[in-house]
Amino acid sequence: MDRNEQICNCMGITRGEIEDAIKAKGLKTVEEVGEETTAGTGCGGCQPLIQEILDEING
Ligand code: FES
């Protein structure tokens, strides 16, 4: 996966930033990712992608 892929266009957050936050903080939900990185807190359209990343990392 490309860590530089921009996942959240509203906030300009990349896959790598989201992955690192999930791993560093043990994030479990889209809401927690939003609180930590701001990803998903704009239009909300990227939230399914954030959920996919959560699933990839947390299983
Ligand atoms: S693209 Fe992430 S909140 Fe709009």
Side-chain angles (χ1 to χ4, degrees):
M1 289 291 190
D2 179 4
R3 286 178 50 84
N4 292 321
E5 177 190 357
Q6 187 160 291
I7 298 296
C8 180
N9 292 323
C10 290
M11 303 302 175
I13 307 296
T14 62
R15 173 178 292 272
E17 290 174 276
I18 294 171
E19 287 180 352
D20 291 349
I22 293 170
K23 288 174 184 167
K25 307 275 179 160
L27 307 180
K28 301 292 183 207
T29 66
V30 171
E31 287 72 21
E32 288 174 349
V33 173
E35 286 166 16
E36 200 60 37
T37 69
T38 72
T41 61
C43 72
C46 62
Q47 289 183 357
L49 278 173
I50 296 171
Q51 184 63 58
E52 277 181 29
I53 298 170
L54 279 163
D55 292 345
E56 283 167 19
I57 292 173
N58 293 329

